[in-house]
């Protein structure tokens, strides 16, 4: 089996669309590659006193429609090609829902399951120090993704604000609610804060909450009790 | 649209992280789908009579995995992907439906919550077998849409009531779905290709208007 490379897949999918749309060669070639990509090393002091060097990435795939937008993945098998592919998919994603943003993605090759909270915080801050100069609400805005959390976003936002000396909550999304985030994003915090116990006989997963108190979910659903129109598959 | 009434029909969820958990609760609550199987990186659980999504989510959050969920049989990730269900949610990582297992995928709808779960070869096979794929960058675009709303509210330092977030999200996602569905019907291409045609045309137009190409 050939080695799996998601970026090759992303390019092949684009090639098919470009052929069907009759894109001119320059536009096609421009869209096949990231506009800008960053790779950097992140020295982080671990709890045992030793310093480990992590490899970090941030890809700004295309900003024609607006500031680039996309998550940060912390995964042991993260590669630049995975980040490139996901940044390309973010470009198509923001375009398909027609929001005025481009596409980007970032990541760190690491295994957060083997890291303490203190180590994660030091890595989060080291990452932000490396990318702060290429981020801003009008340039590029990260978000949580695989194995990154609202807490990690909070540390990163704080590091950014320390560096620039002002409040800029919009530089990163998926933050905890008290820092300007939305409640909808994370099941764990939602569950712990809003649904005390699942009670037998109460068929609603929302527990005893009133409809108006429900946080919006991470997807195209309405919680008004009826499906969003896009789910009218009947 | 597809002539499928989802109420009481079955669903299986591969990957039970944030997206998979929301899918289990919401698709059950809102669409009336019955959760028959779910899996995470350590393996999966199965009960053809139905699992209570609320209890499964609670168990996963408490124990960190699905293993040992009471009243369910173990199932592998591979087996789960090949189950005969109405809706399959690939919600783990990329590259899980490939040319080696696509012909055994027997769902009616594959709603991709993960990014890149299906390879291009597998896509062809699913399309030929009449599996309706809601492609990743359409199906999971609600996340970035609410991220965008968060960013807008941060910039204005003025926060919308929840109803407004719901209304705007519904509007964006519905419009996007119908745009892609129309392209799918008009151009006779699969849903992923249709989504690409819509989005690449928009990005290409912006590049041209800027004078880049």
């Amino acid at each position: 089996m050939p080695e799996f490379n998601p970026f090759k897949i992303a390019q092949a999918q684009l090639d098919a669309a470009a052929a069907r749309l009759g894109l001119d060669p320059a536009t096609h070639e421009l869209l096949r590659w990231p506009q800008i990509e960053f790779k950097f090393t992140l020295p982080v002091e671990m709890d045992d006193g030793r310093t480990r060097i992590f490899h970090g990435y941030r890809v700004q795939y295309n900003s024609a429609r607006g500031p680039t937008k996309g998550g940060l993945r912390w995964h042991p098998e993260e590669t630049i090609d995975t980040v490139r592919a996901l940044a390309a998919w973010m470009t198509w994603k923001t375009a398909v829902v027609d929001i005025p943003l481009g596409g980007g993605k970032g990541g760190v090759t690491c295994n957060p399951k083997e890291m303490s909270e203190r180590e994660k915080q030091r890595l989060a801050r080291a990452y932000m120090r490396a990318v702060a100069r290429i981020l801003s609400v009008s340039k590029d805005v990260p978000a949580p993704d695989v194995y990154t959390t609202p807490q990690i976003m909070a540390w990163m936002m704080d590091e950014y604000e320390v560096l620039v000396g002002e409040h800029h909550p919009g530089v990163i999304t998926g933050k905890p609610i008290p820092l300007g985030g939305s409640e909808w994003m994370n099941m764990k915090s939602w569950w712990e804060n809003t649904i005390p116990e699942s009670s037998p006989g109460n068929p609603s997963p929302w527990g005893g909450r009133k409809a108006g108190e429900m946080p919006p979910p991470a997807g195209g659903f309405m919680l008004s009790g009826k499906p969003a129109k896009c789910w009218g598959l009947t | 649209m597809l002539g499928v009434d989802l109420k009481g029909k079955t669903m299986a969820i591969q990957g039970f992280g944030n997206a998979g958990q929301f899918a289990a609760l919401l698709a059950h609550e809102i669409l009336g789908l019955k959760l028959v199987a779910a899996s995470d990186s350590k393996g999966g659980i199965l009960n053809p009579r139905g699992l209570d999504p609320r209890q499964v989510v609670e168990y996963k959050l408490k124990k960190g995995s699905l293993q040992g969920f009471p009243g369910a049989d173990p199932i592998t990730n591979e087996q789960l992907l090949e189950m005969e269900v109405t809706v399959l949610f690939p919600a783990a990582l990329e590259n899980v439906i490939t040319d080696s297992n696509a012909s055994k995928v027997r769902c009616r709808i594959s709603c991709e919550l993960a990014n890149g779960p299906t390879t291009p070869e597998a896509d062809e096979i699913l399309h030929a077998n009449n599996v309706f794929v809601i492609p990743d960058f359409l199906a999971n675009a609600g996340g970035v849409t609410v991220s965008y709303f968060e960013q807008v509210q941060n910039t204005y330092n003025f926060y919308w009531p929840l109803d407004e977030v719901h209304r705007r999200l519904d509007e964006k996602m519905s419009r996007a779905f119908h745009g892609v569905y129309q392209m799918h019907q008009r151009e006779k291409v699969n849903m992923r290709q249709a989504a690409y045609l819509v989005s690449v045309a928009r990005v290409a137009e912006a590049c041209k208007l800027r004078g880049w190409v």
Side-chain angles (χ1 to χ4, degrees):
Chain A
M1 200 175 109
E3 199 186 332
F4 172 70
N5 183 336
F7 186 50
K8 290 238 154 63
I9 291 177
Q11 286 187 321
Q13 289 168 338
L14 171 72
D15 293 346
R20 196 153 184 123
L21 288 167
L23 280 194
D24 64 275
T27 306
H28 181 194
E29 181 66 9
L30 181 68
L31 298 183
R32 291 190 89 228
W33 299 97
Q35 280 182 307
I36 304 176
E37 55 187 41
F38 299 88
K39 288 179 264 184
F40 33 86
T41 45
L42 302 168
V44 174
E45 190 188 337
M46 305 304 278
D47 289 346
D48 63 7
R50 277 184 285 199
T51 295
R52 251 184 82 183
I53 308 300
F54 291 92
H55 294 271
Y57 318 91
R58 184 73 189 169
V59 170
Q60 297 171 349
Y61 196 88
N62 189 290
S63 62
R65 289 173 42 84
T68 49
K69 180 93 190 85
L72 296 174
R73 296 162 32 111
W74 285 11
H75 195 270
E77 281 151 46
E78 197 70 343
T79 67
I80 185 68
D81 274 339
T82 314
V83 181
R84 284 169 169 164
L86 291 160
W89 287 326
M90 284 307 296
T91 306
W92 316 135
K93 192 185 295 192
T94 53
V96 86
V97 283
D98 202 12
I99 52 181
L101 298 173
K105 206 78 174 189
V108 176
T109 312
C110 69
N111 189 351
K113 289 181 178 174
E114 292 171 357
M115 294 167 68
S116 71
E117 286 301 294
R118 291 154 54 88
E119 289 169 341
K120 286 184 208 171
Q121 179 170 174
R122 286 194 289 268
L123 177 61
R125 290 183 185 276
Y127 186 91
M128 183 48 90
R129 285 194 299 276
V131 298
R133 73 193 76 177
I134 61 163
L135 301 186
S136 86
V137 69
S138 53
K139 282 199 273 192
D140 183 15
V141 178
D145 207 295
V146 172
Y147 296 150
T148 52
T149 60
Q151 176 63 72
I152 291 172
M153 300 303 111
W155 291 325
M156 288 190 178
M157 182 201 77
D158 182 69
E159 189 68 21
Y160 184 85
E161 293 186 343
V162 167
L163 287 166
V164 300
E166 298 177 350
H167 279 285
H168 278 283
V171 78
I172 202 158
T173 60
K175 300 177 293 291
I177 302 135
L179 298 183
S182 292
E183 223 177 334
W184 63 280
M185 212 136 181
N186 187 274
M187 177 64 81
K188 194 167 162 60
S189 54
W190 177 23
W191 196 273
E192 283 166 356
N193 294 325
T194 62
I195 303 172
E197 286 298 319
S198 65
S199 51
N202 180 358
S204 164
W206 324 119
R209 290 166 60 88
K210 279 184 251 153
E213 296 171 348
M214 287 168 192
F221 294 98
M222 288 291 278
L223 288 182
S224 54
K226 60 180 196 297
K229 288 188 280 294
C230 59
W231 280 92
L233 293 173
T234 43
Chain B
M1 222 171 249
L2 301 176
V4 183
D5 181 5
L6 295 175
K7 197 163 172 53
K9 296 295 192 328
T10 54
M11 65 169 157
I13 301 178
Q14 195 250 349
F16 214 67
N18 207 39
Q21 292 165 22
F22 271 109
L25 291 176
L26 296 175
H28 176 76
E29 178 82 353
I30 296 170
L31 304 173
L33 282 167
K34 183 169 74 171
L35 179 67
V36 291
S39 67
D40 58 26
S41 57
K42 299 192 181 78
I45 55 171
L46 164 76
N47 186 340
R49 290 189 309 280
L51 298 154
D52 181 341
R54 194 160 40 90
Q55 287 175 9
V56 180
V57 169
E58 198 168 17
Y59 188 89
K60 167 76 182 177
L61 291 176
K62 273 191 187 145
K63 309 260 177 175
S65 98
L66 294 168
Q67 278 181 322
F69 182 79
D73 296 319
I75 182 172
T76 66
N77 270 287
E78 293 71 31
Q79 289 167 329
L80 183 142
L81 291 169
E82 295 166 11
M83 282 177 65
E84 195 167 344
V85 288
T86 304
V87 185
L88 173 69
F89 290 96
L93 290 170
E94 55 273 11
N95 198 29
V96 296
I97 302 176
T98 68
D99 53 355
S100 59
N101 65 350
S103 59
K104 293 178 242 162
V105 170
R106 289 179 297 163
C107 59
R108 177 70 187 89
I109 298 167
S110 173
C111 183
E112 300 180 340
L113 302 181
N115 288 313
T118 311
T119 66
E121 300 78 25
D123 244 348
E124 297 290 324
I125 300 169
L126 295 184
H127 188 55
N129 290 346
N130 202 28
V131 174
F132 185 78
V133 175
I134 306 178
D136 47 10
F137 70 93
L138 174 62
N140 67 29
V144 72
T145 303
V146 179
S147 265
Y148 162 63
F149 294 161
E150 181 179 338
Q151 202 181 320
V152 169
Q153 294 170 83
N154 290 155
T155 300
Y156 281 89
N157 205 8
F158 179 80
Y159 292 82
W160 305 338
L162 218 42
D163 289 356
E164 178 137 4
V165 178
H166 288 158
R167 186 179 62 72
R168 290 178 185 272
L169 178 62
D170 185 13
E171 189 187 308
K172 278 285 179 201
M173 294 300 289
S174 300
R175 197 186 292 271
F177 179 86
H178 286 291
V180 172
Y181 189 75
Q182 274 172 15
M183 182 70 86
H184 154 75
Q185 289 192 309
R186 201 182 75 202
E187 295 294 316
K188 306 271 181 281
V189 292
N190 69 37
M191 284 288 283
R192 190 184 322 279
Q193 289 163 335
Y196 264 96
L197 294 181
V198 170
S199 56
V200 172
R202 283 183 184 154
V203 178
E205 186 189 17
C207 292
K208 278 200 197 309
L209 287 168
R210 285 176 179 276
W212 287 353
V213 280

